[in-house]
Amino acid sequence: MALIKTLEDIKEIKKANQIIARLYTDILPKYIKPGISTFEIDKIVDDYIRSQGAIPGCIGVPGIYEPFPAATCISVNEEVVHGIPNGRILQDGDIVSIDTVTILNGYYGDSARTYAVGNIDDEAKKLLEVTEKSRTIGIENAIVGNRLGDIGHAIQQYVEKNGFSVVRDYAGHGVGHKMHEDPMVPNFGRSGRGFKIQEGMVLAIEPMVNVGTYKLNMKDDGWTVVTKDGKRSAHFEHSIAIVDGKAIILSELD
């Protein structure tokens, strides 16, 4: 069953998400440029989250082999999700996805954004635009009376119409008291199917969109997920709450 949140819960979940919103809007754009390493970006994220009285939610999450070792997931180009920050230096023309979870007073925020590094080509520009727009379309379908399949169907239709593919092995989810809660929110599917959307639900809507195939591989580290064909991927995520029958975005900067 989905965990239905009170208005007070939603207020606290929004506070956790606003830290990420400020990070993505006011802090990271100053640093994400050619020449910075993903390790340096992770340090910036870690320091900022802690400066706001929160803690990074990704550190220590159990994995296949080892717990996740960093404050945030940083995935570059063909890396789809769960990239481990390291010494990789960002190059002009790269795209980099930052997926961050915060814990503030026991409540979780969760949001992701893909950034252009320097000057990116037209294909990458279109990929970012389509992925971000597909997130908006998914959120617009998150209304009382719809089902989760309506969200996934709308995202899939838009993405495929634009010549890209939607990742199927990873999905959105409930969020708030934990990082991952029921229900799963796939980014593909059939309208009219799935769990009914209810007042008080808090969901992470997060399309992951690939230039080529939707099929994936995992690197030997047990965390970093990459496209099977080596083509690029983008990831945009918002945490939303269903209030008065429709979605309000918690991870968008006030």
Side-chain angles (χ1 to χ4, degrees), residues 58-124:
C58 292
I59 294 176
V61 172
I64 296 174
Y65 306 120
E66 299 289 343
F68 194 79
T72 190
C73 300
I74 303 180
S75 307
V76 183
N77 294 337
E78 76 286 352
E79 297 174 347
V80 181
V81 286
H82 305 158
I84 297 176
N86 52 33
R88 181 171 181 170
I89 304 297
L90 297 185
Q91 307 294 322
D92 188 64
D94 285 344
I95 59 173
V96 57
S97 300
I98 315 291
D99 187 3
T100 305
V101 176
T102 52
I103 309 171
L104 181 67
N105 301 323
Y107 291 90
Y108 285 73
D110 191 2
S111 182
R113 184 180 297 185
T114 302
Y115 294 88
V117 182
N119 299 301
I120 60 174
D121 61 31
D122 289 342
E123 180 184 70

Side-chain angles (χ1 to χ4, degrees), residues 150-207:
D150 296 306
I151 296 174
H153 178 76
I155 290 171
Q156 182 182 12
Q157 289 288 102
Y158 177 74
V159 168
E160 292 180 354
K161 182 179 73 174
N162 281 278
F164 298 133
S165 67
V166 175
V167 168
R168 302 186 179 205
D169 292 349
Y170 296 86
H173 49 87
V175 66
H177 296 304
K178 299 178 182 177
M179 183 189 305
H180 295 124
E181 301 173 350
D182 290 334
M184 296 287 285
V185 187
N187 297 304
F188 68 99
R190 296 177 61 183
S191 59
R193 299 294 182 90
F195 198 91
K196 262 196 173 178
I197 297 168
Q198 302 175 41
E199 184 79 7
M201 291 174 68
V202 177
L203 305 172
I205 307 293
E206 53 173 321

Side-chain angles (χ1 to χ4, degrees), residues 139-140 142-144 199 201 240-249:
I139 291 170
E140 289 170 349
I143 57 175
V144 171
E199 184 79 7
M201 291 174 68
I240 65 165
I242 308 301
V243 177
D244 295 330
K246 62 183 181 180
I248 60 170
I249 301 174

